[in-house]
Amino acid sequence: MSQIHYGHIFHIAGSPAISESPGALVSIPDGALVLDGRGRIAFCGSRTDIPSEYAAAVVHDHRPGYLLPGFVDTHIHFPQTYAGDSYGGGQLLEWLTQCIFPAESRFADPVFAAAAAAEFCDRRIAAGTTAAMVFGSAFPHAQDALFTETQRRGLRIVSGRGIQTVGPDSAGPLLTSEDDAIRLTRAEIDRWHAADTGDVDTALLHVAVVPRFALSVTTETLKNLGDLYDSVRDRGVYMHTHLNENNRPGTGEVDVTKSTYGVQSYLDTYDGRFLPGSAVGGASLLGRRTVLAHAVHCTDAELARMAETGTSISHCPVSQLFLGSGTMPWRRTVASGVNLSAGTDFGGGDEWLIPRVLGDAFKVHISEDGDAGTSLHPAELLFLGTLGGARALDMEHRFGNFDAGKEADFVVVDPARTPALSAALTTGIRSAEPQLARDQTLFALLLGLRESSVAAVYVQGRHLNP
């Protein structure tokens, strides 16, 4: 049965670069989103222009609410579901040792892991996150619970077990042998990749190869993962990890990684150049289905290499504030041509809601020093949280905006459910110039949106229940 949804529509149309998104921003105050019987977008436009062939469609009137593409979170940690707001007395490496490794070790209990999978999906739906790149648990039974629950809820996911072959004592329960790291990863791919439909081009469930970060594996692990990834690239498998997150001089992640491996840049460890002097030791893990989280302290050469290979960045400003990791330089990163998406990094970040990530992105980048500071356009924010995420997952052809033919993933926002948001939208100052007034409305919507504002969530045209 076809459907019609009424509301004020905002989306980024077409396939622009993020810097081109202001020119691709679509706002339809009296809008209609028409879905065909397969849950695909048949029409997006004014309510008065709905094609006559849909006269008998089921109507859902969300006015005076808003319709936005579903939010895409390209970096979030499943085994940190209960570890938000964890205090470790320091920055990244102290926090991992004191808080996160012990928290993730609790997922060894299958009952605990199953409860976390249900909670994780609840929180995703409440936040309007229709697609997510999920850093998984080290324990296969926990990953089984996550994929099973995700499929039951009808959400999109890319996930893989967190791979660790070395680490401190507190990470002991999460570590495997070199052989088991590959065996368990291959088994997860064989069991869960496109398991829901049997076809990677239609599936909601996807698997990624996920080394935790360079300091949690060895050169042997990286070589073996490169061989494994080369053998499954043509199956549409993903790769996901962390890059250049924290650079406290001498003891931060970046400096420790470079000194441990003896490489010229952190990215080299994932690019097959993980031997001393950045000599080639194996196959590259970079590519169109590779998403690297953070990328705060990248060199120009690293950014250029990511752009060249089609690798995407998951920008996580909430997490970077939480852990004191610094600010990804916006202008320089965008100028490199690398694709940007948004990640909550929960529980490195303390927010589940992508619009909260977008709000912090605006704040940190307008505060960059000197000429580096920039006021992000509301369309750039919307791109970051929707279309950029779909592009990072190499599924822009399937979702991310309301172009005709795409699968209908969207969020219904009801401002009345959040009084402060309603007040900002109805009484806030608006320019007499229509385009600026449009931008001001979108900005107020994104920055004022809270979980309470999310009235309904749809994936492939299906209404999801928490």
Side-chain angles (χ1 to χ4, degrees):
M1 177 70 72
S2 56
Q3 308 172 44
I4 300 175
H5 294 264
Y6 295 151
H8 186 155
I9 291 171
F10 277 113
H11 77 119
I12 306 298
S15 186
I18 190 167
S19 57
E20 301 167 338
S21 56
L25 176 60
V26 173
S27 172
I28 311 171
D30 191 15
L33 194 62
V34 180
L35 318 184
D36 65 18
R38 301 177 302 155
R40 294 181 180 272
I41 296 165
F43 171 83
C44 175
S46 173
R47 189 168 59 90
T48 59
D49 296 331
I50 298 172
S52 59
E53 64 191 277
Y54 295 103
V58 176
V59 174
H60 303 271
D61 193 346
H62 306 291
R63 295 175 295 175
Y66 294 79
L67 306 179
L68 300 175
F71 301 126
V72 183
D73 188 342
T74 55
H75 184 58
I76 184 170
H77 289 259
F78 165 53
Q80 295 173 26
T81 297
Y82 300 118
D85 303 309
S86 293
Y87 173 70
Q91 295 183 351
L92 175 65
L93 297 183
E94 295 91 347
W95 170 81
L96 285 170
T97 299
Q98 296 291 331
C99 305
I100 297 307
F101 293 148
E104 293 190 2
S105 297
R106 299 175 70 192
F107 282 64
D109 177 355
V111 175
F112 185 89
E119 174 72 10
F120 186 82
C121 291
D122 283 346
R123 296 304 303 271
R124 278 192 57 189
I125 294 172
T129 301
T130 53
M133 172 75 89
V134 180
F135 201 105
S137 170
F139 302 105
H141 61 257
Q143 287 298 99
D144 291 345
L146 175 64
F147 279 113
T148 298
E149 188 67 13
T150 300
Q151 183 175 6
R152 186 179 77 82
R153 302 298 188 92
L155 290 160
R156 298 185 190 270
I157 191 171
V158 180
S159 185
R161 64 172 302 274
I163 299 165
Q164 294 181 250
T165 53
V166 292
D169 290 344
S170 61
L174 308 174
L175 306 184
T176 68
S177 68
E178 300 287 356
D179 288 344
D180 280 350
I182 303 305
R183 179 182 62 81
L184 294 173
T185 301
R186 186 179 292 280
E188 183 174 36
I189 293 168
D190 291 342
R191 177 168 186 179
W192 286 111
H193 191 57
D196 54 323
T197 67
D199 180 356
V200 69
D201 292 326
T202 61
L204 297 180
L205 306 180
H206 301 265
V207 175
V209 173
V210 185
R212 181 175 209 112
F213 67 146
L215 293 176
S216 287
V217 293
T218 66
T219 54
E220 181 181 354
T221 319
L222 288 170
K223 181 184 185 306
N224 292 338
L225 288 177
D227 292 343
L228 171 63
Y229 195 48
D230 265 4
S231 74
V232 296
R233 275 184 190 265
D234 62 356
R235 294 169 59 183
V237 172
Y238 292 79
M239 189 274 183
H240 185 48
T241 189
H242 303 85
L243 174 72
N244 286 331
E245 181 176 359
N246 185 286
N247 196 30
R248 184 173 50 190
T251 59
E253 169 213 17
V254 177
D255 284 349
V256 174
T257 298
K258 290 166 67 176
S259 64
T260 298
Y261 282 90
V263 292
Q264 297 171 15
S265 78
Y266 194 152
L267 185 69
D268 286 342
T269 64
Y270 304 135
D271 200 14
R273 308 178 68 87
F274 47 75
L275 297 182
S278 293
V280 174
S284 176
L285 294 168
L286 306 184
R288 286 178 59 86
R289 290 202 163 192
T290 297
V291 180
L292 302 179
H294 303 296
V296 176
H297 304 286
C298 290
T299 64
D300 288 345
E302 287 175 303
L303 292 172
R305 178 60 176 157
M306 283 188 276
E308 176 189 13
T309 58
T311 298
S312 289
I313 290 172
S314 179
H315 182 28
C316 307
V318 173
S319 169
Q320 286 142 29
L321 288 167
F322 182 78
L323 291 172
S325 298
T327 300
M328 184 196 80
W330 182 267
R331 290 184 184 273
R332 187 163 64 86
T333 304
V334 169
S336 74
V338 67
N339 179 57
L340 291 175
S341 58
T344 60
D345 194 26
F346 195 92
D350 58 349
E351 297 283 356
W352 290 83
L353 190 68
I354 284 293
R356 302 297 290 154
V357 176
L358 307 181
D360 276 2
F362 180 84
K363 295 165 194 170
V364 299
H365 294 304
I366 202 171
S367 301
E368 289 189 62
D369 290 341
D371 292 340
T374 184
S375 177
L376 299 187
H377 192 281
E380 293 178 297
L381 300 177
L382 184 60
F383 176 100
L384 196 65
T386 58
L387 190 60
R391 185 172 298 169
L393 299 183
D394 198 26
M395 286 192 268
E396 183 182 1
H397 61 292
R398 294 183 60 184
F399 60 89
N401 62 15
F402 295 144
D403 288 354
K406 290 193 177 181
E407 298 166 29
D409 291 13
F410 62 100
V411 175
V412 179
V413 178
D414 180 2
R417 296 161 60 103
T418 310
L421 173 61
S422 180
L425 291 168
T426 57
T427 63
I429 295 296
R430 295 293 180 268
S431 172
E433 196 279 307
Q435 183 167 302
L436 179 55
R438 173 203 67 180
D439 298 343
Q440 290 170 331
T441 296
L442 176 59
F443 188 77
L445 178 65
L446 291 175
L447 267 67
L449 201 156
R450 299 293 184 269
E451 286 189 10
S452 59
S453 318
V454 177
V457 181
Y458 291 79
V459 172
Q460 294 182 325
R462 296 189 300 270
H463 181 225
L464 305 187
N465 295 309

